[in-house]
Amino acid sequence: MKKRFLYLLLPIITLILEILPYGAVCVFAPSPTERVKETFSYFDLTPFGYANFAPFLTAIITCLIFVLLLVFCIKGNVRTAIKAKNILYVAVVISLGPLVFGIAYFSLVAGLITLSLVAELLFLQFTIKSPTE
């Protein structure tokens, strides 16, 4: 049972990175020649309001993954971990969404968030076996 709580380590790290105000990036143009780059938390709705949907959606999906893995750690139901793994595939793709606007909208913290999601996906992929029916 205690070993299952290791599955929560990477989602906790991901959530901490998402709470930091350096992940989501908005580039504003106060004048035709000037560009101002501001960073926000993944849970902040300001980038969402400027059509940068990916950070907020990634944060919500990470919370869902954390809850699913918490249920897995408590109850030991492998199907719950498999559901979390499948949702992680979606989270990884959505976390790369700001790259659609350009590399200026992707910060170092956003890259670390994507890497931690990929690491959790690989951790689940290689340690959770599908239940036999």
Side-chain angles (χ1 to χ4, degrees), residues 1-11 73 120 123:
M1 168 118 174
K2 289 183 181 181
K3 288 183 182 180
R4 284 192 295 227
F5 282 101
L6 289 174
Y7 290 101
L8 294 177
L9 184 63
L10 284 170
C73 290
E120 180 67 20
F123 185 49

Side-chain angles (χ1 to χ4, degrees), residues 71-116:
V71 169
F72 166 68
C73 290
I74 293 170
K75 292 190 175 186
N77 188 354
V78 176
R79 291 182 190 270
T80 308
I82 292 172
K83 288 178 187 176
K85 180 180 72 170
N86 292 336
I87 294 172
L88 266 165
Y89 284 111
V90 175
V92 168
V93 172
I94 290 176
S95 71
L96 294 172
L99 289 175
V100 172
F101 296 119
I103 195 72
Y105 287 84
F106 201 73
S107 66
L108 176 65
V109 174
L112 292 174
I113 289 168
T114 302
L115 283 176
S116 65

Side-chain angles (χ1 to χ4, degrees), residues 18 33 53 67:
E18 289 172 349
T33 59
F53 303 109
V67 169

